[in-house]
C-alpha cells in the first residue's frame, strides 16, 4: 500500500493549510495514523496521531490548539488542518500508518510534502 500526501505549499505566517494523506488501497486498515515533520538539520518529530476506530487524537505541545487531525474512514484518508502557521512550522510533513497496536512501529510512510511558512 502507498500513502500519498498532498496539500503542502507556501503560506504566510498566520495562514492555514490542510494536508491530506490517502491510502492507495481502499481495503487498507490501519490502527493509528501519524503526522510527522522534519525541518532541515533537525530530527523528525511527531506532530499528531489519530486512531482509526474511535478517532482518539494526540498532539505535540508545539501544535496544540493550532493543528487538528481528522480521518474519513470511508475514503481511507487522514487530514491535518494547520491554522495560525508559524515560520517554525516549516518542514517536510509525512504521514505514516501503524498497523498494529502491539508495537510502536510505523509500517508505511508517505513521500512527504513540503510546508513553508514565510514571516
Amino acid at each position: 500500500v502507498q500513502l500519498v500526501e498532498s496539500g503542502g505549499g507556501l503560506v504566510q505566517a498566520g495562514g492555514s493549510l490542510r494536508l491530506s494523506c490517502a491510502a492507495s488501497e481502499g481495503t487498507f486498515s490501519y490502527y493509528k495514523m501519524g503526522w510527522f515533520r522534519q525541518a532541515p538539520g533537525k530530527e523528525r518529530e511527531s506532530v499528531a496521531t489519530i486512531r482509526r476506530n474511535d478517532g482518539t487524537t494526540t498532539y505535540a505541545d508545539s501544535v496544540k490548539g493550532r493543528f487538528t487531525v481528522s480521518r474519513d474512514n470511508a475514503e481511507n484518508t487522514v487530514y491535518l488542518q494547520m491554522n495560525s502557521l508559524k515560520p517554525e512550522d516549516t518542514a517536510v510533513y509525512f504521514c505514516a500508518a501503524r498497523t498494529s497496536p502491539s508495537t510502536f512501529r510505523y509500517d508505511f510512510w508517505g513521500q512527504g510534502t513540503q510546508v513553508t511558512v514565510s514571516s
Side-chain angles (χ1 to χ4, degrees):
V1 64
Q2 290 183 326
L3 301 179
V4 181
E5 300 106 334
S6 60
L10 173 64
V11 64
Q12 287 188 332
S16 299
L17 284 174
R18 188 194 196 203
L19 305 184
S20 300
C21 174
S24 60
E25 296 178 9
T27 57
F28 176 63
S29 181
Y30 60 89
Y31 166 69
K32 183 176 288 189
M33 194 76 81
W35 283 99
F36 298 80
R37 67 185 181 187
Q38 187 165 21
K42 294 187 177 181
E43 293 190 353
R44 185 176 62 200
E45 62 173 343
S46 175
V47 175
T49 69
I50 187 165
R51 206 154 57 184
R52 180 187 174 92
N53 63 345
D54 61 6
T56 299
T57 58
T58 65
Y59 296 94
D61 287 343
S62 58
V63 306
K64 278 181 182 176
R66 301 188 298 123
F67 290 12
T68 302
V69 60
S70 61
R71 81 222 189 281
D72 183 336
N73 288 345
E75 296 293 328
N76 234 6
T77 300
V78 173
Y79 304 96
L80 184 68
Q81 177 67 44
M82 306 185 294
N83 298 328
S84 302
L85 282 161
K86 305 174 181 180
E88 51 263 44
D89 294 317
T90 295
V92 178
Y93 284 71
F94 302 87
C95 65
R98 187 176 141 194
T99 57
S100 170
S102 303
T103 73
F104 291 100
R105 183 183 70 247
Y106 282 82
D107 306 285
F108 299 94
W109 289 82
Q111 82 287 354
T113 185
Q114 176 71 46
V115 171
T116 303
V117 184
S118 63
S119 57

